Amino acid sequence: MFELSLMCPEDRIEAVSDALDALDALSVSVEDADAQTDAEQALFGEPGMPPPKDGWQRSRVVALFPTAEAAQEAQQLLTVQDFFEGCQVLGVTEVPEQDWVRLTQSQFAPVDITPDFWIVPTWHELPPQAVRSIRLDPGLAFGTGTHPTTRMCLRWITRNGTVAADGSSTLGRVLDYGCGSGILAIGAAKFGAVDIDAVDIDPAAVESTLQNAQANGVQLKAGLPDKAQGEYQTVLANILATPLRVLAPLLCSHVAAGGHLVLAGILERQADELKEAYAPWLPLQVADSEDGWILMTASR
C-alpha cells in the first residue's frame, strides 16, 4: 500500500479529491495541515452555531493506492491539471502493512462504570467481577462508555436504578433523548427499567440502538424524536450544551411529577448558562464531574 500526500488550499479540495477518486484511489482523506499548532481551525460546530466551513485553509490530502506505480501515475496526471494550481506534492510513501481490525480493537478495552458494572466489547472476555455488563462495540453512533459524559450518566443510573420487591424499577418509564448507540437506554434496562423510549435525529443511531439492545437481550423502543410521547420518570439527554439549551422546554415537559432530568455533554464553564436556560421549568444542579465535563440533574 502506498500513499500520495498533497498540500491543497481550501478552494481546491473538492476538485483534487474528485480527481483522485477518478484515478482509482482506494481511499481519500482530508485533514487540517495545521493540526496541533496555534493555526489549527475548528471545522465542525455545535447545532445552532454558524454552519461549518467546507474545508481548512491549508489541507493535507492523502490518497491510498495499491502500488507505487499507481500513486506516481496519479501524481503525474494531477500536476498538469489547471485545478492543481496552488497545490503541492508532499511525496509518495509506503504504508506498512498492519492488521487494522486488531489495531482498532486494541484501542477499546473493557470500561468499568462501577466495580461490578462494565462496558465490554464483544472481542473481550467479561471481567470476573462484572455482575452486570453491556456488550458494545464501537460503531457509527456515539456512546461506547469511554467518554466522561457517558460514564457519568451510567453512574447516575447505577446509583438511582434499583428493582423493588414487586419487580418495578425506581427508574420508572425512561426516555433516552439523543440515544446514539443506545448505551444509556440499555444501561437503564440493565437496572430494571422495562418501559424505555430511545430517540435520535439520526436514523443510523436508531438502527444502532435496536441492534445493540437485541445483542444485550433487553427490550426498548427506538425511533426519531417524535416517538417520545408523554411523561417519564427518568429523562436522559447526553448531547451538547447548545442543543440542550434549545431543548429545555421540550425535555422538561417530558419529566413526570417526582421524576428526574439528567443532562450531560456539558463543560464545567457552561453550568451557569444551563441553569439559567432551565430555570423557568426545573432547578438544575451539578451532580457529578469528570475531566472538565459535568453531569447536571433536576427533580420535579
Side-chain angles (χ1 to χ4, degrees), residues 70 72 75 107 117 125 129 134 151 155 238-239 253:
Q72 290 162 355
Q75 172 187 324
Q107 299 172 14
F117 178 40
E125 294 291 331
Q129 64 270 41
I134 298 176
R151 291 197 298 270
R155 284 202 295 266
N238 181 15
I239 317 177
S253 72

Side-chain angles (χ1 to χ4, degrees), residues 18 30 38 54-55 82 93 108-109 112 118 122 150 155 158 172 174 181 194 205 210 220 282 290 294 298:
D18 289 345
V30 182
D38 292 340
D54 293 331
D82 292 341
T93 57
F108 293 91
D112 59 320
W118 289 70
T122 55
T150 309
R155 284 202 295 266
T158 65
V174 175
S181 68
V194 294
L210 291 170
L220 54 77
L282 290 171
E290 183 178 340
I294 56 175

Side-chain angles (χ1 to χ4, degrees), residues 3 20 38 71 80 84 113 124 128 151 153 177 187 224 274:
E3 67 176 30
L20 288 166
D38 292 340
V80 297
F84 198 73
I113 304 304
H124 280 282
R151 291 197 298 270
C153 288
Y177 200 99
L224 298 176
L274 264 294

